[in-house]
Amino acid sequence: MALAFCSLRAEDSFKPGEIWPDNKGVHINAHGGGLLLRDGVYYWYGEHKTKGSGGNVANVGIHCYSSKDLYHWKDEGIALEVAPAGSGSDIEKGSIIERPKVIYNRKTGKYVMWFHLERKGRGYQSACAGIAAGDSPTGPFTFIRSTRASAGHWPEGYSEALKNGPVRAAGKNFSGGSLPGQVTLDELNIVKRDFDRGQMVRDMTLFVDDDDNAYHIYSSEENSTLHIALLSSDYLSHSGKYARIFPGRFMEAPALFKREGRYYLLMSGCTGWAPNAGRSAVADSIWGPWVELKNPFQGKGANTSFRSQSTYVVEAPGKKGNFIYMGDRWNPGNAIDGRHIWLPIRFENTQPVIEWAESWKY
Ligand code: GAL
């Protein structure tokens, strides 16, 4: 009996790219995910995918798992369920719910979840954030609303010339991966186009700083530019203060972490489900200036980030300063079979470096 049980259990090591069984022996179904640490327990929230290519839309909801050591994960069920198909809810079955992240608000005692939300049947055109909250880390979370970002607010340092300038974005076709030809980002002035409605939100993450300020980091302006937005003190809305970083660099899949007082970002380029070379950046202040560094991946396969895309960075339990890269190896043809690529991050001065390992421990 004991032997049979052991064979179902994940081992005390990470095996990037392999099936990763939970406590029931089922491959962990939490993609584009993020972690929350509360009272010595890690909670992993991610997209619950289903079989086939139709499994990339939200058919079920956001799945939650818990662990004390990051190796063994207990299935905690669906933390946020989709609403029934046809209900007209923003999060109805068949909508797109991606890259959920959960943070805990010490003042209100609420667990707050943000995710990238696309309303059903509209492709990636809604470009909204969804917000949900709950009283327990495992849920249930209640959907509150969907929103664009910071409607009616200009980003930090946006020039008067652009605020008062023309908008050439109207009527242009955006591929999501590059600008329409022969026109610059400033000429397009997407920020001004979206000023009243609010800025677009696609790939995203959350980050809580040591002073409890929380930030929403998301791909905006037709994916061309990352925004960093300060949240309100209850974490349930944008505060109105935000900055644009890496304009025109088409950064996706942001994962933000802090090490020795500096802020780091791991990101990808913008090529849909297909992997590309990773990117990294460092800053002394979260508002920047952000300095882009090199592709953090090194060795064979570095140009596709070892066939993965960043989603989160976590510090290893009890090993201060040991950071772990969490990435997704998407399987768009059979979404449920997406694999988790977790690898150690080492630093060459400020440059994060990630190398392949078949099997490793922190
Ligand atoms: C990726 C993005 C994923 C998902 C996918 C859809 O670039 O990181 O979260 O949106 O595109 O094609």
Side-chain angles (χ1 to χ4, degrees):
M1 278 307 282
L3 268 178
F5 178 70
C6 282
S7 66
L8 275 182
R9 271 169 51 101
E11 294 167 48
D12 285 341
S13 63
F14 299 110
K15 293 196 162 52
E18 295 196 6
I19 293 287
W20 191 344
D22 65 10
N23 62 315
K24 297 172 177 164
V26 178
H27 180 54
I28 293 171
N29 198 344
H31 308 269
L35 302 189
L36 168 73
L37 174 62
R38 274 290 289 158
D39 300 329
V41 179
Y42 292 85
Y43 297 90
W44 180 352
Y45 304 88
E47 304 159 27
H48 178 104
K49 304 267 196 189
T50 54
K51 282 188 187 149
S53 57
N56 282 304
V57 302
N59 291 313
V60 175
I62 301 305
H63 209 132
C64 176
Y65 297 82
S66 66
S67 172
K68 287 196 168 165
D69 61 9
L70 302 180
Y71 299 122
H72 305 97
W73 290 91
K74 178 178 173 220
D75 183 359
E76 299 283 2
I78 303 302
L80 174 72
E81 279 181 33
V82 295
S87 63
S89 162
D90 287 353
I91 60 161
E92 76 173 280
K93 187 170 188 277
S95 60
I96 294 174
I97 298 181
E98 291 181 342
R99 298 187 176 275
K101 304 289 176 296
V102 174
I103 53 181
Y104 175 69
N105 189 298
R106 284 206 276 194
K107 259 179 273 171
T108 63
K110 296 278 182 199
Y111 294 84
V112 179
M113 178 190 285
W114 286 63
F115 47 88
H116 167 200
L117 175 63
E118 300 286 349
R119 294 198 190 94
K120 187 176 176 178
R122 299 196 202 165
Y124 278 85
Q125 291 315 303
S126 303
C128 284
I131 307 161
D135 296 315
S136 146
T138 52
F141 283 76
T142 307
F143 178 63
I144 300 174
R145 68 196 165 93
S146 69
T147 184
R148 284 278 185 97
S150 309
H153 295 272
W154 294 111
E156 297 289 290
Y158 211 59
S159 72
E160 291 306 313
L162 287 174
K163 286 181 195 172
N164 299 311
V167 174
R168 290 185 56 196
K172 290 270 189 307
N173 269 331
F174 291 91
S175 66
S178 59
L179 295 179
Q182 326 241 298
V183 59
T184 68
L185 192 56
D186 280 354
E187 287 167 342
L188 289 166
N189 209 345
I190 302 168
V191 169
K192 185 169 176 181
R193 181 196 70 184
D194 292 344
F195 182 79
D196 291 328
R197 184 176 174 199
Q199 303 299 315
M200 298 173 86
V201 176
R202 290 207 182 113
D203 277 12
M204 56 142 277
T205 194
L206 298 176
F207 173 75
V208 182
D209 210 340
D210 305 325
D211 58 6
D212 283 349
N213 279 339
Y215 300 85
H216 185 209
I217 300 101
Y218 52 91
S219 302
S220 197
E221 301 177 46
E222 305 285 354
N223 294 344
S224 70
T225 302
L226 276 181
H227 289 183
I228 297 193
L230 176 69
L231 296 186
S232 57
S233 60
D234 61 8
Y235 301 169
L236 295 173
S237 53
H238 295 103
S239 68
K241 179 172 176 174
Y242 67 107
R244 304 168 73 227
I245 62 172
F246 311 118
R249 280 288 284 144
F250 286 85
M251 302 287 204
E252 281 200 314
L256 201 154
F257 62 103
K258 197 173 181 181
R259 169 186 174 263
E260 295 175 2
R262 287 200 175 91
Y263 299 85
Y264 289 86
L265 268 167
L266 297 185
M267 300 152 290
S268 72
C270 195
T271 53
W273 299 119
N276 54 58
R279 302 182 182 178
S280 61
V282 64
D284 289 332
S285 155
I286 198 158
W287 296 112
W290 281 90
V291 178
E292 191 175 346
L293 304 167
K294 293 191 250 178
N295 177 356
F297 297 92
Q298 280 187 13
K300 191 168 166 268
N303 58 345
T304 62
S305 311
F306 308 126
R307 292 194 286 137
S308 77
Q309 190 181 26
S310 40
T311 188
Y312 201 76
V313 170
V314 64
E315 202 166 11
K319 296 262 172 94
K320 205 166 162 33
N322 282 20
F323 290 91
I324 300 173
Y325 163 81
M326 291 170 53
D328 294 284
R329 181 173 290 170
W330 304 114
N331 186 342
N334 187 19
I336 197 171
D337 195 31
R339 303 297 173 90
H340 311 292
I341 309 296
W342 289 30
L343 289 165
I345 304 175
R346 66 179 173 83
F347 286 83
E348 290 174 358
N349 300 313
T350 56
Q351 175 65 60
V353 175
I354 303 168
E355 283 159 309
W356 182 254
E358 291 291 330
S359 169
W360 68 282
K361 299 170 199 267
Y362 55 76

